[in-house]
Amino acid sequence: MAPEQHDTEIEIRRVRDQQYPPDYRKLRREIGAESIHRVGPGAYALTAAWRGLSSRERHRMRVVEATLRMRRPALVSHFAAASVHRIEILGRWPSRIDVRVDGEAAAGRQV
């Protein structure tokens, strides 16, 4: 049996957790200088740390950030669930996240 693999955790900075009002000029400068990478709306990681993650770990971080932004409970599915359960896939990880929200069509939606 192979040893259990643990994903590398990186710090995610969220605009909502920063000073109020947020310093958007500083944020734009950091993005322009490529010192931070946008993980999702209002969520950023240091670029060096982000580049150190595998593509599965990056997708998992996007899934986590997306679920933190949701106002209603949702069920992650398909590739999103695979990344959370640390299951590798063949090919590239998608840029969108599959979720199922109560009251929506059976196919769910992508965020």
Side-chain angles (χ1 to χ4, degrees):
M1 179 180 274
E4 184 178 333
Q5 287 186 316
H6 295 283
D7 286 334
T8 304
E9 294 296 324
I10 63 171
E11 179 185 2
I12 302 293
R13 290 192 247 162
R14 293 168 189 86
V15 172
R16 69 173 185 240
D17 298 336
Q18 303 300 313
Q19 68 184 25
Y20 186 81
D23 187 348
Y24 290 108
R25 283 182 171 177
K26 179 181 178 189
L27 187 61
R28 282 192 295 274
R29 279 194 309 270
E30 289 178 331
I31 293 169
E34 295 185 1
S35 61
I36 62 172
H37 177 83
R38 183 176 180 264
V39 177
Y44 300 88
L46 294 175
T47 299
W50 183 257
R51 288 181 179 159
L53 298 176
S54 69
S55 56
R56 177 180 48 83
E57 292 169 323
R58 290 177 189 171
H59 194 74
R60 185 177 68 84
M61 295 303 294
R62 287 186 189 108
V63 170
V64 169
E65 284 304 313
T67 57
L68 289 173
R69 288 190 316 272
M70 291 180 188
R71 293 188 181 122
R72 299 187 310 183
L75 176 68
V76 295
S77 62
H78 301 81
F79 292 115
S83 71
V84 170
H85 290 288
R86 296 171 169 88
I87 298 170
E88 288 295 340
I89 63 169
L90 295 175
R92 297 181 60 144
W93 286 91
S95 59
R96 304 203 68 182
I97 298 167
D98 301 301
V99 298
R100 174 83 167 100
V101 178
D102 284 342
E104 292 193 5
R109 70 177 189 190
Q110 294 182 329
V111 290

